């Protein structure tokens, strides 16, 4: 997460980032991740930290992405509400999982 947030520390003239251990950061470093999913879903936090490029589009996925772009340009207020709702849904799902784990602990 430190790498995605670009949370670097400066030691002398070099930048360092803590991944598992503290390592020297190279400004030419690039991270590429791939997936075979036709329309992958990432949390809103991930979308704010990285650039998503989809090279393998199905017709349905392309239609979904174009509709999202149209929606963002035509209905900016609704688009912001949709984004906030997606963030709320994501955090609520995490709360449900936490609550389920707490209930299971109490029952055992």
């Amino acid at each position: 997460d430190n790498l995605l947030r670009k949370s670097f520390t400066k030691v002398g003239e070099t930048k360092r980032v803590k991944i598992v251990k503290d390592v020297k950061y190279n400004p030419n470093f690039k991270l590429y991740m791939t997936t075979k999913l036709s329309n992958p879903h990432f949390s809103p936090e991930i979308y704010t930290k990285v650039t998503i490029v989809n090279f393998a589009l199905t017709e349905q996925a392309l239609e979904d992405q174009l509709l999202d772009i149209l929606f963002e340009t035509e209905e900016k207020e609704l688009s912001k509400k949709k984004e906030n709702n997606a963030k709320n849904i994501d955090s609520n799902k995490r709360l449900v999982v936490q609550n389920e784990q707490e209930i299971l602990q109490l029952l055992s």
Side-chain angles (χ1 to χ4, degrees), residues 25-92:
Y25 173 72
N26 183 335
N28 295 323
F29 174 78
K30 297 193 183 318
L31 175 67
Y32 296 95
M33 299 180 351
T34 62
T35 180
K36 291 186 179 185
L37 299 174
S38 62
N39 195 9
H41 176 73
F42 300 102
S43 69
E45 293 83 14
I46 296 295
Y47 278 105
T48 61
K49 295 176 186 173
V50 299
T51 301
I52 306 293
V53 178
N54 192 345
F55 291 103
L57 293 175
T58 63
E59 187 175 333
Q60 180 64 41
L62 179 60
E63 185 178 314
D64 290 343
Q65 287 186 3
L66 290 174
L67 283 173
D68 283 343
I69 292 169
L70 177 68
F71 187 70
E72 287 175 10
T73 56
E74 294 294 321
E75 300 289 340
K76 291 181 181 180
E77 188 65 33
L78 287 176
S79 180
K80 287 180 183 178
K81 286 182 181 179
K82 178 185 173 190
E83 185 178 324
N84 287 336
N85 286 340
K87 287 179 183 177
N88 288 338
I89 288 170
D90 189 50
S91 65
N92 287 338

Side-chain angles (χ1 to χ4, degrees), residues 4-41:
L4 294 179
R5 284 185 289 147
K6 296 183 179 181
S7 177
F8 305 124
T9 57
K10 196 161 188 170
V11 177
E13 293 295 318
T14 61
K15 287 184 180 177
R16 301 186 76 74
V17 63
K18 184 169 184 165
I19 301 173
V20 175
K21 63 179 187 173
D22 199 35
V23 294
K24 184 178 176 183
Y25 173 72
N26 183 335
N28 295 323
F29 174 78
K30 297 193 183 318
L31 175 67
Y32 296 95
M33 299 180 351
T34 62
T35 180
K36 291 186 179 185
L37 299 174
S38 62
N39 195 9
H41 176 73

